[in-house]
Amino acid sequence: MTGAVLLVLLAVEGFTILRVGRLLTLHFFLGMLLLGPVALKAGSVIYRFVRYYTGSAPYRRKGPPALLLRLLGPVVILLTAGVFGSGVMLAVAGPGQGPWLLLHKVSFILWFCAMGIHVLAYVPRLPGLLAAEARGVAAPAGGTGRQAGAGRHARRAMEVLGGRGTRLALLTASLLAGLVIALLTVHLAGQWHPGGIRIQR
């Protein structure tokens, strides 16, 4: 669920980059809003990593991701921290203060490449996982090829993680936390606009 929400929000955030001059306030707002679910997703990944490598039986049965994705995971987390950390520093420091704009651009380019591989690897599984989550049961085993693979991944995820209500509550809380941060900091976009804050329409 968190991955699906992030996929949508990051796509909208990516669209604002195409016209960042006119959509800068929205870019700021979404960037701050994303802090909540991004932190939740990173925490979830780190939790699964720790449980697997400390020998938790359900996580060991599920098995690790493919080797490339295991190697890519820490890189994605570090680059995500770089993109959002430099973005927050840009909001606080304002234009022309330190190397934050360059760091934000460079870390974004590297993050985009790494995240592209990550998304392409996991997005085929997403429909089966979301369908299973919506029903609150394991996805059916029927189907062939990609559908069967998605069903197997959905069943394993449901068996290992469980706690549908807890997941939904955590996701909701992360979005609310991000919304509060965004509302409290959106005024900082004004220092990047000549003449003060301009809410774009």
Side-chain angles (χ1 to χ4, degrees):
M1 288 190 298
T2 305
V5 169
L6 282 173
L7 199 60
V8 173
L9 290 177
L10 286 170
V12 178
E13 180 77 332
F15 174 76
T16 66
I17 295 173
L18 300 177
R19 303 189 69 182
V20 73
R22 298 190 60 186
L23 299 175
L24 185 59
T25 301
L26 179 59
H27 185 77
F28 263 68
F29 184 85
L30 287 174
M32 295 299 184
L33 174 63
L34 277 160
L35 290 175
V38 163
L40 175 63
K41 184 63 176 174
S44 171
V45 170
I46 292 169
Y47 176 80
R48 292 199 306 272
F49 175 89
V50 170
R51 292 299 302 274
Y52 177 82
Y53 284 104
T54 54
S56 174
Y59 289 82
R60 298 292 292 186
R61 282 197 301 271
K62 182 178 184 296
L67 179 59
L68 174 61
L69 297 177
R70 266 190 285 173
L71 296 174
L72 190 64
V75 175
V76 170
I77 289 179
L78 289 174
L79 289 174
T80 300
V83 170
F84 284 91
S86 59
V88 170
M89 290 306 300
L90 279 172
V92 172
Q97 300 296 322
W100 300 114
L101 184 57
L102 177 61
L103 286 173
H104 192 59
K105 291 179 178 179
V106 171
S107 60
F108 170 77
I109 292 169
L110 296 174
W111 173 88
F112 184 82
C113 295
M115 185 58 72
I117 299 171
H118 178 83
V119 169
L120 288 174
Y122 283 105
V123 104
R125 309 175 191 177
L126 195 57
L129 291 168
L130 289 176
E133 186 70 39
R135 292 193 301 270
V137 297
T144 59
R146 184 172 294 180
Q147 290 180 337
R152 286 194 299 272
H153 287 294
R155 285 198 307 279
R156 288 201 296 268
M158 293 297 290
E159 290 167 1
V160 171
L161 297 178
R164 181 186 182 201
T166 301
R167 289 195 299 277
L168 183 59
L170 286 171
L171 177 57
T172 302
S174 73
L175 287 168
L176 288 174
L179 179 61
V180 169
I181 294 170
L183 291 173
L184 291 175
T185 58
V186 69
H187 68 279
L188 296 174
Q191 60 191 323
W192 291 82
H193 289 299
I197 295 177
R198 296 188 316 213
I199 303 298
Q200 301 296 334
R201 293 181 175 83

